[in-house]
Amino acid sequence: MDIKQLKFLIALDETRHFGQAAARCHITQPTLSMRLRSLEEELDLPLVNRGQRFEGFTAPGERVLAWARTVLAAYDGLQAEAAACRGNLIGTLRLGVVPLSSFDPLPLMQRLHAAHPDLRFELSSLSSEQVLEHLANNRIDIGVSYLERLDSERFDSLAFNETRMGLLYDERSFNFGEAPLSWESLIELPLCMLTSGMHFRQSIDHNFHSRGLTPQPLLQTDAVHQLLQAVHGGFCCAIMPLDGGAETLADHLRLQPIENAHTLAPLGLIMRRGAPRSALAEACFALYQKSPTDA
């Protein structure tokens, strides 16, 4: 058994396709299949359900896959730790961020990359539940999520400033003047929102419902880019984090503050407490603690 076999197994899980997994690992499909069969023979367990195409993992395969992720994360962590001891950071910092976060990760990544040019980044959009799950399973190093009901025995966190909300619109289709908007003035507008169940949407609904208002969104989507496209096309308006920078993504977009508009829970950086802890995650935390307004 070697690290490459575990990488092949994880690549198959992430692509759900033998050919795509082989291409990701820069090997041929027959080589991938041969190495996975060799792993099955060594463990004396069937790991993969095979047909004319990939049909998923067996029950033992799912358990082995979880261990493979842990072993590979420990291997990557060992390499990163050794580099950190030499005063450098290498590897890939994996960040999971909830949709419509008021935290812009780009300045933080830019500063880390400037200090450590060999560092790479992987950015994923995850629900608040997925952020904690992926942190616990070593699938990401740092999470940006809501701190409500966070288990402080399992995770460390750094809270951000309070998230305020504004109305994003295309000035070619709408004009609201300069004054902050009231929730009552929004109820008749064509609104596009994230689907119900997402944490930012729950905060929006709470702000409406606490004032006896019931929004009837024109469009609901689970994809932020579709929401932005609909706003830019003048189809609707969207309630967004006030400091998220959405208005800078395209010409003619404006973000108007909404009175008394806050999320239900604070956002923050989250890192797993359990050892071995990622040196990349610790560097990220330390950089934010040193200068949060610049990160």
Side-chain angles (χ1 to χ4, degrees), residues 111-281:
R111 292 180 62 197
L112 282 168
H113 185 61
H116 307 282
D118 293 328
L119 192 59
R120 297 293 180 264
F121 303 89
E122 182 179 299
L123 188 60
S124 303
S125 177
L126 304 171
S127 70
S128 53
E129 292 81 7
Q130 287 173 324
V131 166
L132 298 183
E133 177 186 343
H134 282 48
L135 281 170
N137 294 333
N138 271 325
R139 298 182 70 172
I140 59 174
D141 303 297
I142 288 287
V144 175
S145 186
Y146 298 95
L147 304 182
E148 184 181 31
R149 297 189 297 272
L150 184 69
D151 186 349
S152 59
E153 293 186 358
R154 300 178 61 198
F155 303 101
D156 286 331
S157 63
L158 293 172
F160 301 149
N161 292 331
E162 188 176 41
T163 300
R164 299 176 298 153
M165 300 180 186
L167 185 73
L168 185 70
Y169 62 93
D170 192 310
E171 64 177 356
R172 296 170 298 181
S173 302
F174 301 93
N175 184 1
F176 299 107
E178 301 295 332
L181 301 169
S182 68
W183 287 96
E184 288 76 11
S185 68
L186 305 182
I187 199 66
E188 299 298 331
L189 294 177
L191 294 175
C192 49
M193 298 183 182
L194 292 177
T195 50
S196 59
M198 303 185 82
H199 206 293
F200 192 78
R201 170 63 186 275
Q202 293 174 6
S203 292
I204 293 173
D205 287 344
H206 173 77
N207 277 281
F208 275 120
H209 295 159
S210 64
R211 293 168 174 82
L213 305 171
T214 303
Q216 299 293 331
L218 178 62
L219 170 68
Q220 299 185 76
T221 177
D222 61 359
V224 174
H225 75 276
Q226 291 178 339
L227 186 151
L228 292 171
Q229 286 175 340
V231 172
H232 188 246
F235 183 61
C236 52
C237 307
I239 299 170
M240 306 284 285
L242 194 58
D243 301 317
E247 74 279 12
T248 66
L249 298 178
D251 293 338
H252 309 293
L253 290 183
R254 298 292 177 266
L255 189 57
Q256 190 114 351
I258 303 171
E259 294 177 342
N260 300 316
H262 308 284
T263 54
L264 290 170
L267 276 168
L269 281 181
I270 305 173
M271 174 173 61
R272 191 169 67 95
R273 296 195 70 178
R277 191 151 76 172
S278 165
L280 304 184

Side-chain angles (χ1 to χ4, degrees), residues 1-160:
M1 186 188 305
D2 58 41
I3 288 294
K4 287 186 178 180
Q5 286 173 299
L6 303 183
K7 289 182 176 179
F8 299 160
L9 194 70
I10 292 171
L12 183 59
D13 177 48
E14 292 178 346
T15 61
R16 318 300 287 184
H17 188 280
F18 286 106
Q20 293 176 17
R24 175 181 290 191
C25 298
H26 308 291
I27 59 173
T28 64
Q29 184 172 332
T31 299
L32 178 85
S33 297
M34 179 187 68
R35 296 300 305 276
L36 291 180
R37 287 191 184 278
S38 176
L39 181 61
E40 289 177 315
E41 291 173 2
E42 181 173 350
L43 296 175
D44 194 22
L45 286 171
L47 305 179
V48 180
N49 291 317
R50 295 175 175 85
Q52 292 185 341
R53 59 177 60 89
F54 176 72
E55 296 180 356
F57 291 94
T58 63
E62 292 286 356
R63 298 177 66 175
V64 170
L65 181 63
W67 277 104
R69 289 191 180 282
T70 300
V71 171
L72 193 58
Y75 175 82
D76 291 341
L78 186 152
Q79 297 287 345
E81 189 70 31
C85 292
R86 298 192 299 268
N88 190 23
L89 292 180
I90 63 171
T92 300
L93 177 65
R94 303 162 299 169
L95 299 97
V97 183
V98 292
L100 295 188
S101 165
S102 59
F103 176 75
D104 182 1
L106 183 58
L108 183 63
M109 292 189 293
Q110 288 174 325
R111 292 180 62 197
L112 282 168
H113 185 61
H116 307 282
D118 293 328
L119 192 59
R120 297 293 180 264
F121 303 89
E122 182 179 299
L123 188 60
S124 303
S125 177
L126 304 171
S127 70
S128 53
E129 292 81 7
Q130 287 173 324
V131 166
L132 298 183
E133 177 186 343
H134 282 48
L135 281 170
N137 294 333
N138 271 325
R139 298 182 70 172
I140 59 174
D141 303 297
I142 288 287
V144 175
S145 186
Y146 298 95
L147 304 182
E148 184 181 31
R149 297 189 297 272
L150 184 69
D151 186 349
S152 59
E153 293 186 358
R154 300 178 61 198
F155 303 101
D156 286 331
S157 63
L158 293 172
F160 301 149

